[in-house]
Amino acid sequence: MLNVEKFIEKLLLKHDCVIIPALGGFVAHYEPAYQDKESGLFYPPSRIIGFNAQLRMNDGLLAQAYMQAYDTNFPEANRMVERESEKIKTVLHAEGAFMFENLGLLELKDNSRLLFTPQDGGGIAAPYLYGLNAFLMKPYEAPKEHADVHSTTVAEHFEREHATQNEAPKAISHKKSNYT
């Protein structure tokens, strides 16, 4: 694992985009929660990782992370990031693919086009999404004796229930007791 992989993974926890200069950028897309109608499973929101080869300009985010981690200046941190980028490009041209651990596979197609396949699981979580798992929730079915409740409002249901008992709801008395 190259150093740049660790930095990208950590930076994607807080940022939606991390650019590797002269290579491309990893972009995290928010996916809202959804229900699979067939299975009844509800899936939590997630972040899907993609790669955009058009994002090649250095935004300084990786260099800043290197500066903090290695206690160095910005020009030296930029050179470190550039060396990591060159290593990745060398592997891509030699082997046709580069595996970003915990992120996914970046492939070089037709000697110029980059194709990214996210790692199983679709992407990387964010701290606010940790611990959210899919769950099964069956559709609500009203009990048979109250099947008509769905067609009434809560107020109508409340009035009907108390009318059948022939008494109004009792008010709570706030009088002091003699036993205090």
Side-chain angles (χ1 to χ4, degrees), residues 89-108:
K89 288 196 275 186
T90 300
V91 171
L92 278 170
H93 287 286
E95 300 176 18
F98 184 88
M99 182 63 173
F100 285 91
E101 194 171 314
N102 297 326
L103 295 173
L105 181 68
L106 185 62
E107 297 176 273
L108 181 62

Side-chain angles (χ1 to χ4, degrees), residues 118 121 144 160:
K144 301 285 188 222
R160 185 173 50 234

Side-chain angles (χ1 to χ4, degrees), residues 47-66:
R47 292 176 78 220
I48 305 299
I49 304 300
F51 186 82
N52 185 339
Q54 301 299 313
L55 300 173
R56 301 170 61 96
M57 185 175 284
N58 188 356
D59 64 353
L61 188 60
L62 268 174
Q64 184 179 12
Y66 272 65

